[in-house]
Amino acid sequence: MTDQPETPDSALPGKPTAASRTTLSHIMTGADTNLLGTVHGGVIMKLVDDAAGAVAGRHSGGPAVTASMDEMVFLEPVRVGDLVHVKAQVNWTGRSSMEVGVRVLAERWNESTPATQVGSAYLVFAAVDENGRPRPVPPVLPETERDRRRYQEAQIRRTHRLARRRAIKELREQRQAD
């Protein structure tokens, strides 16, 4: 196994994973709650999309739009007064798309206990030019064994996304033909 993944032919130099990694932190307030009194999942999803978008834009060097969100998992409820940290990094790149992995952590704003993971997600972003057309992105260069594992897992998720789309398209075409 080589230290660098196979990447599409690109005239752009690769960027290490750490070059665009970021953390977005936000304290949750009463305005963020749902009818159960915990933080609304949509609020967390917005923070996830914001952090992932920042990472995608930093990595690609310009605008990037959300193409899909995969596997948004909520592990624990988030409460009013929690300080939420959304950590994001590019896991994989294609020609114009990037998978961004996100971990969501929460800690009480007034306690010195460690933050616990409360959620995770994978998002796919497409880099776009000023006309909204896809533009090339630099290859991501995983730096650590963890980064290389995330890169390989992202390739598996991509394969599954494409197979799922293909199977659904074929099913719809078959139903129309019947």
Side-chain angles (χ1 to χ4, degrees), residues 1-152:
M1 176 179 183
T2 64
D3 280 353
Q4 295 187 9
E6 290 182 31
T7 56
D9 293 335
S10 175
L12 300 172
K15 286 187 176 180
T17 307
S20 58
R21 188 178 291 142
T22 195
T23 300
L24 172 68
S25 297
H26 189 79
I27 192 158
M28 299 291 103
T29 67
D32 300 318
T33 60
N34 59 27
L35 296 174
L36 298 176
T38 57
V39 173
H40 196 288
V43 171
I44 300 300
M45 291 173 77
K46 169 93 167 74
L47 294 172
V48 164
D49 191 47
D50 287 347
V55 166
R58 290 172 86 175
H59 182 83
S60 68
V65 296
T66 311
S68 70
M69 178 182 272
D70 288 353
E71 299 181 37
M72 180 71 212
V73 177
F74 298 100
L75 302 170
E76 299 284 336
V78 176
R79 302 174 292 161
V80 169
D82 281 352
L83 180 57
V84 172
H85 307 286
V86 183
K87 298 177 176 284
Q89 76 172 48
V90 173
N91 290 336
W92 175 89
T93 54
R95 284 184 299 278
S96 62
S97 64
M98 301 156 275
E99 183 196 87
V100 178
V102 181
R103 288 181 45 222
V104 183
L105 305 153
E107 61 181 307
R108 293 306 294 167
W109 69 273
N110 60 347
E111 296 176 9
S112 59
T113 56
T116 58
Q117 186 169 351
V118 296
S120 65
Y122 300 101
L123 297 89
V124 176
F125 279 79
V128 294
D129 64 17
E130 60 279 352
N131 298 315
R133 309 287 299 162
R135 63 181 174 80
V137 298
V140 67
L141 303 174
E143 301 170 279
T144 66
E145 189 55 40
R146 177 182 280 182
D147 292 341
R148 286 185 281 280
R149 175 186 55 79
R150 288 177 176 163
Y151 184 92
Q152 291 173 322

Side-chain angles (χ1 to χ4, degrees), residues 152-169:
Q152 291 173 322
E153 291 172 359
Q155 288 179 304
I156 293 168
R157 282 187 292 276
R158 180 177 186 271
T159 299
H160 287 220
R161 269 192 305 275
L162 295 174
R164 184 177 60 234
R165 284 182 195 154
R166 199 168 31 255
I168 289 170
K169 181 181 177 188

